[in-house]
């Protein structure tokens, strides 16, 4: 690696929590559970999946079984992106879209490839951005898909820059009031916001051991379901879709439990979803024209 290509630290880390979180992602550079899955097609995801898996693959043995499990997890993670592209359907290829917390780029590339629009990813993890920019060149879309170093809740973009904003499984890392206010600021009036997240089901419980175990594993703060709706309204975004996919989120974790690459977080995810302490939600909203 030449000195020019060494990822530089991102100046967007603002406080002790963000420092700790940044370090967590800096330290996570040999994550085979993500890197091996994307090696076949250059789509690297940092989200999970919904829907069933092909149960026959568990009949295979040894290395074959492991290879099939990873391939199936990758298929499911890639298909998960249709939750975002589906909620963005109808967007013009001339549209400009922001990806909040763009990871290694998997969702941004699929949004661009399926909808044609320009995508600007924001991420404070320099090695992710470096990795994703490299992929953009290889996928020949570096003039349409960008990865910016910075904090997704304090972006450099002018007011009303984007026709749509989405964030795929990242909001457990951010203050919802601050984030939704920023997303609404950069959205044009009538623009669409789409978010996929896991959240604590506060209709069911105010404290869950399993949810706390997930928080500890990923250095995150899982928000309550009601907070999402409250903060959207506060930011002047009017919800048009709230889909609960909690049941559908369980098979992915069952499958992942069979992988040699399992990390231990499979147990609290399964526990939390089965107890209905954790929900998997897709939310879409439009920025009010009166906001
Ligand atoms: C974990 O995905 C993802 C989150 C906790 C949300 C953060 C999202 C980003 C865009 C960085 P992962 O694929 O990194 O977890 P694992 O390594 O357990 O598969
Ligand atoms: Mg992963």
């Amino acid at each position: 690696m030449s000195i020019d290509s060494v990822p530089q630290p991102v100046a967007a880390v603002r406080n002790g929590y963000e420092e700790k979180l940044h370090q967590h992602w800096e330290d996570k550079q040999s994550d085979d559970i993500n890197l091996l899955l994307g090696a076949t097609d250059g789509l690297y995801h940092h989200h999970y999946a919904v829907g069933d898996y092909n149960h026959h693959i568990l009949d295979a043995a040894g290395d074959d079984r492991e290879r099939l499990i990873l391939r199936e997890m990758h298929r499911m993670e890639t298909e998960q992106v249709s939750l975002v592209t589906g909620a963005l359907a109808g967007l013009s290829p001339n549209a400009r879209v922001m990806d909040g917390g763009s990871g290694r780029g998997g969702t941004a590339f699929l949004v661009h490839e399926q909808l044609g629009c320009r995508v600007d990813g924001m991420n404070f993890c320099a090695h992710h951005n470096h990795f994703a920019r490299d992929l953009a060149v290889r996928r020949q879309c570096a003039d349409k898909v960008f990865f910016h170093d910075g904090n997704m809740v304090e972006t450099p973009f002018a007011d009303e820059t984007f026709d749509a904003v989405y964030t795929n499984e990242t909001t457990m890392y951010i203050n919802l009031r601050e984030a939704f206010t920023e997303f609404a600021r950069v959205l044009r009036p009538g623009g669409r916001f789409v978010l996929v997240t896991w959240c604590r089901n506060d209709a069911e419980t105010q404290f869950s051991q399993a949810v706390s175990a997930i928080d500890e594993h990923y250095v995150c703060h899982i928000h309550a379901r009601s907070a999402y709706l409250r903060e959207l309204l506060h930011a002047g975004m009017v919800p048009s879709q709230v889909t609960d996919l909690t049941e559908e989120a369980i098979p992915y974790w069952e499958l992942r439990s069979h992988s040699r690459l399992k990390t231990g977080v499979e147990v609290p995810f399964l526990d939390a979803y089965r107890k209905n302490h954790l929900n998997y939600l897709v939310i879409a909203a439009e920025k009010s024209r009166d906001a």
Side-chain angles (χ1 to χ4, degrees):
M1 196 182 264
S2 79
I3 192 75
D4 285 348
S5 62
V6 174
Q8 297 302 305
V10 172
V13 175
R14 306 172 305 172
N15 53 47
Y17 169 66
E18 290 181 354
E19 183 55 51
K20 193 170 162 205
L21 181 59
H22 185 251
Q23 199 55 52
H24 167 80
W25 285 102
E26 281 302 305
D27 293 344
K28 192 170 166 177
Q29 301 205 30
S30 310
D31 44 332
D32 280 353
I33 188 86
N34 302 309
L35 290 170
L36 290 184
L37 267 63
T40 49
D41 59 4
L43 290 170
Y44 295 84
H45 301 300
H46 289 276
H47 55 254
Y48 312 124
V50 292
D52 209 356
Y53 63 91
N54 176 356
H55 290 241
H56 296 302
I57 63 178
L58 297 181
D59 298 336
D63 291 349
D64 250 4
R65 185 181 199 251
E66 180 66 12
R67 187 179 48 77
L68 291 171
I69 290 172
L70 298 189
R71 193 175 73 179
E72 185 69 345
M73 281 172 55
H74 187 57
R75 176 192 69 76
M76 294 171 78
E77 290 182 6
T78 295
E79 284 182 12
Q80 184 269 11
V81 177
S82 68
L83 299 176
V84 175
T85 53
L88 292 175
L91 210 62
S92 154
N94 299 320
R96 206 169 153 188
V97 179
M98 186 176 102
D99 178 331
S102 42
R104 290 185 171 109
T107 302
F109 292 129
L110 288 168
V111 166
H112 164 66
E113 287 163 18
Q114 290 175 22
L115 301 175
C117 45
R118 168 180 167 149
V119 183
D120 288 275
M122 284 301 302
N123 190 343
F124 79 165
C125 179
H127 74 84
H128 274 184
N129 283 337
H130 186 74
F131 190 98
R133 284 185 205 118
D134 223 45
L135 284 170
V137 172
R138 283 198 259 153
R139 297 179 86 85
Q140 301 187 316
C141 61
D143 58 336
K144 294 285 268 184
V145 185
F146 300 86
F147 297 96
H148 305 272
D149 292 329
N151 195 317
M152 65 194 268
V153 302
E154 218 175 73
T155 74
F157 303 110
D159 294 358
E160 304 183 7
T161 297
F162 294 101
D163 301 288
V165 172
Y166 67 82
T167 183
N168 196 357
E169 298 191 21
T170 70
T171 45
M172 58 295 297
Y173 284 136
I174 51 185
N175 176 295
L176 294 184
R177 177 151 301 183
E178 183 179 38
F180 292 175
T181 302
E182 177 67 356
F183 298 162
R185 182 186 70 77
V186 299
L187 263 180
R188 67 164 168 77
R192 175 159 292 191
F193 174 53
V194 176
L195 101 101
V196 183
T197 196
W198 10 289
C199 58
R200 180 167 51 82
N201 178 5
D202 57 339
E204 191 67 41
T205 182
Q206 296 308 315
F207 175 77
S208 162
Q209 194 70 52
V211 168
S212 298
I214 300 168
D215 273 345
E216 199 173 327
H217 184 93
Y218 287 119
V219 192
C220 64
H221 301 112
I222 295 172
H223 300 293
R225 192 171 85 200
S226 60
Y228 281 90
L229 279 300
R230 189 178 63 238
E231 296 306 332
L232 278 174
L233 297 177
H234 184 270
M237 296 201 273
V238 183
S240 55
Q241 176 197 341
V242 180
T243 308
D244 179 352
L245 296 172
T246 304
E247 284 288 321
E248 291 88 338
I250 292 174
Y252 170 87
W253 289 103
E254 289 172 347
L255 176 63
R256 181 164 151 156
S257 306
H258 292 285
S259 168
R260 291 173 189 157
L261 297 180
K262 69 182 175 188
T263 59
V265 78
E266 297 77 14
V267 174
F269 262 106
L270 282 169
D271 190 26
Y273 281 138
R274 285 176 179 149
K275 287 183 170 141
N276 200 22
H277 287 182
L278 190 70
N279 289 156
Y280 193 92
L281 295 190
V282 184
I283 301 178
E286 281 76 50
K287 177 177 170 180
S288 165
R289 291 183 191 278
D290 296 331

